[in-house]
Amino acid sequence: MADAETKSIDKASIRMIEKAASDGVNTVFDRAEATKPCPIGMVGSCCKNCGMGPCRVPLPKGKTETPEEKQKRRGLCGATAETIAARNFIRMVAGGAAAHSDHGRRVAELFLAVAKREAPGYEIKDEQKLLQLALDWGIEIGDRSNNEIAIDIGEMALAEFGKQEGEVLFLRRAPLKRQELWRQQGVAPRGIDREIVEIMHRTHMGVDQDYQNLLRQGVRASLADGWGGSMIATELQDILFGTPAPVLGRINLGVLKQDEVNLIIHGHEPLLSEMIVVVAQEPQMLELAKSKGANGINLAGICCTANEILMRHGIPLAGNMLQQELALVTGAVDAMVVDVQCIMQSLPDIAQCYHTKIITTSPKAKIPGAIHMEFDEHNAIESARTIVRTAIENFPNRGNSIDIPDEQSDLVAGFSHETINYLLGGIFRASYRPLNDNIINGRIRGVAGVVGCNNPRVKHDDAHLTMVKELIKNDVLVLQTGCSAMACAKAGLMTPEAAAKYAGEGLASVCEAVGIPPVLHLGSCVDNSRILMAVTAMVKDGGLGDDISDLPAAGAAPEWMSEKAISIGQYFVGSGVFTVFGVNWPTLGSDEVTKLLFQDFEAMYGGMWAFEPDPIKAAHLMIEHIDKKRKALGIDKARERVLYDMTMRRELEAV
Ligand code: NFS
């Protein structure tokens, strides 16, 4: 077991990595040492799409290739390195878009069941958002009941997935110029499922062999994710469970409690966890817990389910993706209930070393060794009760090897794009005007979305934190989701006090005046659609150009690992945002494909990809891009004044 401090910057995680070693438990950190990534697959140069292969077409090491040699570097079917890299890349987009969108579909199914009163226990919580969506989609409101309207919305939302012609409805929310660009480029998506299926078809042996054409379809499917599946998930969840508003929360393994039943909710879909939150407060459950010797029931989350219930209920976060096994290593988790995505198959094995019960709940995601308790939304409360009861009954079985780290930090979460609107503009004149004004006058240099996963190939949380600190120090307001948000929350960046401590003078002055942290938590990974809405609102408010690509804005996923991250990055780029990824880059095996993504896309979509594993350098790529956009908008001079003019400084202090 190598030094735990080289694995993570998070003290609680380091301590649990050490405990795992002394308990003889194998974790992802050990597996990352034992299994090195395949250097050919890592750069997209291995094709295993048919039985003639897998074919490996790596770039020759250390020498320049002659055109003749390059001609010969092909798979058995004749596919070039370009075709193979592009195929692999867009299959990642398809995987990610499918995951987000199938989540969206589940929400739409539940939404329709709730509207038809077939899912007792759920109700429509945000009427205003329901009516807004009805207006957006041209659904008659009149004197119809919320449920009648919701039935139409639910049916239309479900139809979005299988729509054969036309465009995904939410595209109409984008700035007009962006919509036109999508149509010109031929990437305005039809039904979400159709675009994903088309990727699987085109990347089958012997179909699309033009890397440019392949990558175009990647953009199209990713837009069906961001402006389709993910946005449907976010919108309908908000209507059903409530639109997030600022809420105080706590994060890290220290939220687990010695004297209470600890039930961890892990995964992505908040349908069941919403009910668990309700059930865990029922008097009969609390009594049952007492009868087993526990002082209460403590819920905590891991991964994006955690973000969902934090945003809406302030339920504490136990940690991000790389902490799922470490939570079990505390020995204090009585049950961990999982649904879909980012769940490690090692959990039941690790649980065996302690007493934890791992409960799977989705018919789509079973794990050998776990207990399967299928979640039935028509009987959600009973499903939730069975799970909570299982956790309580397991409390007396805790062993002796219990060690809960002390670390936990406060954070303020709940920044939906609507909330940012209210906070900055006030309830009576809610708007993005103050944000735009502060960007124009240079106090805020620009906006960055820093999102995505953890990856054990790099030091846990380090790149997120280093990048975000560098950005806010340079007056860039940071919007976050997913595991990246959790990394920064653990380090205390999501409290209003963080502004004075870490942000540059201009950004700090705005945060202090409004009372917000310099790093805003917008939710789970499907909630990256909130970032699309926030940047669209900035464009529509005026003064910063007429398209998303005109904004002084950038995106990043410094520790990405999942296909979902690639899909998100691609829809950011396709929506006009410069986006930098760390760790490794899956098309480096083809110079042409990489050049198209990193350079040529800028002329086509206004946004492009970059790869930079050093988080400080990556932050500066983002800042340079932001400054380039400020210059193009003619607002670069204002910022120079902010930096150098004493009168401006005094004025800032008076804010
Ligand atoms: Ni996003 Fe959320 Fe985390 Fe990555 Fe996984 S939990 S959906 S994929 S690892 S950020």
Side-chain angles (χ1 to χ4, degrees), residues 100 266-268 302-305 307 320-322 324 341-343 451-454 481-484 486 524-526 528 559-565 568:
H100 286 143
H266 171 24
H268 282 80
I302 299 252
C303 284
C304 283
T305 298
N307 285 324
N320 49 11
M321 200 279 289
L322 282 182
Q324 57 185 291
Q341 300 169 21
C342 304
I343 297 150
V451 308
C453 323
N454 289 142
T481 59
C483 291
S484 184
M486 298 198 211
S524 68
C525 286
V526 290
N528 283 313
E559 298 181 29
W560 79 278
M561 64 87 196
S562 86
E563 293 171 324
K564 291 180 284 174
I568 293 165

Side-chain angles (χ1 to χ4, degrees), residues 16 28 59 107 190 220 223 235 258 281 325 348 413 481 528 554-555 557 627:
M16 287 304 104
V28 60
L59 280 166
V107 179
R190 300 154 294 182
R220 198 178 200 186
L223 293 173
E235 289 286 304
Q258 185 85 31
Q281 292 163 13
E325 297 174 316
T481 59
N528 283 313
D627 286 350

Side-chain angles (χ1 to χ4, degrees), residues 35 64 156 192 213 227 230 279 301 309 319 326-327 342 354 362 365 397 440 452 494-495 516 545 555 561 573 611 634:
T35 309
T64 27
M156 276 178 83
I192 299 153
N213 206 37
W227 297 87
S230 284
V279 165
I309 53 175
L326 304 180
C342 304
Y354 304 95
S362 166
N397 300 329
I440 292 165
M494 290 187 170
T495 60
I516 55 171
M561 64 87 196
V573 168
F611 166 56

